Amino acid sequence: MQDSLIPPFQGFGLGLRPPHYQDVLAREIAVDFFEVISENFMVKGGRPLVVLDAVRERYPIALHGVSMSIGSADGLRPDYLQRLKTLADRVQPLWVSDHLCWTGIEGFNSHDLLPLPYSAATMETVCANVHQAQDTLKRPILIENPSSYVAFADDEMTEWGFLTELCRRTGCYLLLDINNIYVSAVNHGFDPLAYIAGVPAERVRQVHLAGHSQGRGRLIDTHDRPTPDPVWALYRAASRRLGPVAAMIERDDDIPPLDDLLAELELARGHAADPEVRAA
Ligand SMILES: [Fe+2]
């Protein structure tokens, strides 16, 4: 496996979403990379791949998956991994990422990022699956922290402890979703700064920035609004600990005009460049 395929700092990016295809193809966009949802392009042909090829000619691409189901006790689906490898071979991405979760069972895809217990038993399962993915893709992958609304009585370690051990045992890297950390911290009552302090900084290659909404008695990871102040504050803390790390605005719903997201990305650049953050 070639660790050199995971470069340390790739600047500031945006998720490539269909409402922005025309804009992105028509003009120069002030981003260092675009991230795409892998599953939308794991197809044999059609307009999505035409758009992706055109964007790839001008920008680096990160592949971000939502249904690898790395926590699945059934193991990973070989056909899924092969289709993802075909896409990765075509795109030559900065990296390939997916979430620490499971999404289905026995062929059923829930289209939800379902949490798993953080135990020694699930560690064995996830390590085997990460090895399977990395062996097929011939590259290390990034694992993203999910947001969660329930915890398990079987939990034996913190989420950040689980991710740390996962990196150590598999050589994978991390994608930290700062909003997800905040949402889970509020929902479960842990200190988000302890999470930031607890992850292996040298393994983090990307962060996601996003907004959330207030549900009944808990925060919901809706990714449908701008990054709020508490998440910016946590991003500043993460930047102090991690140093320069690729950052991206991740909007999945209620997609605003591209220029609104570019303005939000400029805020991220400003926080990361703030002397008070850089001096740490
Ligand atoms: Fe995310």
Side-chain angles (χ1 to χ4, degrees), residues 114-132:
L114 302 169
L116 57 152
Y118 297 134
S119 66
T122 54
M123 177 67 72
E124 294 300 321
T125 297
V126 176
C127 282
N129 290 343
V130 170
H131 281 307
Q132 183 188 356

Side-chain angles (χ1 to χ4, degrees), residues 72-154:
S72 172
D74 294 339
L76 304 185
R77 294 154 290 162
D79 64 315
Y80 175 93
L81 290 179
Q82 281 301 333
R83 288 192 297 132
L84 181 56
K85 182 173 190 307
T86 298
L87 179 64
D89 289 347
R90 180 185 190 115
V91 170
Q92 293 299 310
L94 293 171
W95 47 69
V96 177
S97 62
D98 207 299
H99 303 79
L100 181 64
C101 69
W102 60 288
T103 57
I105 189 166
E106 294 180 348
F108 170 74
N109 189 343
S110 75
H111 298 288
D112 279 313
L113 308 180
L114 302 169
L116 57 152
Y118 297 134
S119 66
T122 54
M123 177 67 72
E124 294 300 321
T125 297
V126 176
C127 282
N129 290 343
V130 170
H131 281 307
Q132 183 188 356
Q134 295 185 146
D135 288 349
T136 302
L137 297 172
K138 304 281 191 283
R139 61 175 72 230
I141 60 174
L142 275 60
I143 298 294
E144 176 178 359
N145 57 299
S147 55
S148 61
Y149 312 105
V150 295
F152 292 88
D154 290 346

Side-chain angles (χ1 to χ4, degrees), residues 140-270:
I141 60 174
L142 275 60
I143 298 294
E144 176 178 359
N145 57 299
S147 55
S148 61
Y149 312 105
V150 295
F152 292 88
D154 290 346
D155 281 344
E156 297 167 3
M157 61 191 96
T158 60
E159 186 172 284
W160 58 95
F162 192 94
L163 290 169
T164 300
E165 180 68 2
L166 185 64
C167 288
R168 189 187 70 75
R169 287 182 52 175
T170 66
C172 73
Y173 289 80
L174 297 179
L175 191 176
L176 281 192
D177 188 308
I178 305 296
N179 176 63
N180 289 355
I181 293 175
Y182 182 77
V183 165
S184 292
V186 170
N187 289 344
H188 301 305
F190 65 75
D191 178 2
L193 295 175
Y195 197 122
I196 297 292
V199 294
E202 73 282 1
R203 307 305 290 183
V204 180
R205 284 293 182 272
Q206 185 184 359
V207 301
H208 277 165
L209 295 161
H212 52 263
S213 52
Q214 179 69 54
R216 272 188 300 175
R218 60 184 62 84
L219 298 183
I220 309 293
D221 163 30
T222 43
H223 280 59
D224 63 349
R225 58 195 68 192
T227 305
D229 286 344
V231 176
W232 283 127
L234 198 54
Y235 173 55
R236 291 172 67 87
S239 297
R240 279 188 212 103
R241 167 107 207 283
L242 304 174
V245 60
M248 198 198 84
I249 307 297
E250 186 181 45
R251 187 69 67 85
D252 295 325
D253 211 351
D254 203 9
I255 309 284
L258 185 57
D259 284 336
D260 289 11
L261 293 178
L262 288 167
E264 192 175 340
L265 190 61
E266 196 56 32
L267 294 178
R269 287 191 180 94

